Amino acid sequence: MGCDGNGCGSFSEFTLNKKSGIHPTAIIEPGAQIGENVTIGPYTVIESDVVIGAESTIGPHVVIGNGTRIGNKCKIFKGASIGLEPQDKKYAGEKTFTIIGDNTLIREFVTVNRGTTESMETRIGSDCWIMAYCHIAHDCVIGNDVTISNGLAMAGHVEVGNHVTIGGIVPIHQFTRIGDYAMVASVARPFTDVVPYALVGADPTRIAGINSVGLERRGYSQEQIKHIKKAYKILFRMELSLNAAIEKLQEEYKDNKDVMFIVDFVKKSQRGIMRMGKDM
């Protein structure tokens, strides 16, 4: 994506591009930067310090707040509220940002709050699907190719890796991390960190195994999947302490980048990692 906290690289100045299709009832404040072939629907409000990349579509009754940077070919549906002030009592009006990558789709009535001074930004990657009525709070970081179903409630400072799928009506506790290629079931409650490649069940919320189907679809070989399964067995099944499991994985799989990716994730965990259900 060509956007950062200062703007999008594909623009040379802040202007309303004449090739964009802006409805006459839309309110575009002076200083907003609108790319070529952008469509903006009726009664939408775009505040002054906003960048919208080329060929994006902004639906009706959308509000896009100061400090928002939207990539190319994005689509934002009716009633979404993007980049407004965070729901954080410590926030005092500082200049912070909301960054959204290319080709990302945001459905009806989604709310995305901009960052606070702790990280200065809320970030959503490229090629994401954020479905209706989701809330993404301040300072969250969402990777690329992430699909989130309806009704998610994501608290502040959550980190979601790349190629993650999250079901509907999922609350995610603040500061929780969800690793790459994980799949979280609808109505699950991930209040601790979810390791990469995990398949998370909902009742109760526990790791049910690895996301084998998702890995196969993204080109992982059977050999790679076999090693990840063995790593899960060591981490979750051998009744080792977490430190002992990490040491064993580092000894046996030091040259396996997929397993070392899990190890690195676990070592950085501050909230602790979600465990595998005993009946799985």
Side-chain angles (χ1 to χ4, degrees), residues 45-78:
V45 176
I46 311 292
E47 295 184 350
S48 58
D49 183 15
V50 169
V51 177
I52 301 176
E55 299 183 50
S56 291
T57 299
I58 313 298
H61 299 278
V62 173
V63 179
I64 300 181
N66 285 320
T68 301
R69 308 289 184 257
I70 298 172
N72 300 321
K73 297 183 179 179
C74 292
K75 191 168 185 179
I76 300 176
F77 282 71
K78 176 182 177 180

Side-chain angles (χ1 to χ4, degrees), residues 208-258:
I210 76 166
N211 183 19
S212 299
V213 174
L215 293 177
E216 289 174 1
R217 288 175 177 172
R218 291 177 174 89
Y220 276 67
S221 68
Q222 290 302 311
E223 186 72 10
Q224 286 177 290
I225 292 172
K226 180 182 74 174
H227 289 307
I228 292 170
K229 285 181 177 178
K230 287 183 177 179
Y232 267 47
K233 183 177 180 180
I234 293 170
L235 188 60
F236 295 118
R237 290 299 192 194
M238 295 187 69
E239 299 184 355
L240 298 171
S241 69
L242 189 58
N243 287 337
I246 289 173
E247 289 178 6
K248 186 173 179 61
L249 289 172
Q250 289 175 324
E251 290 172 3
E252 295 188 16
Y253 289 99
K254 63 181 180 180
D255 297 321
N256 185 303
K257 63 180 181 62
D258 299 323

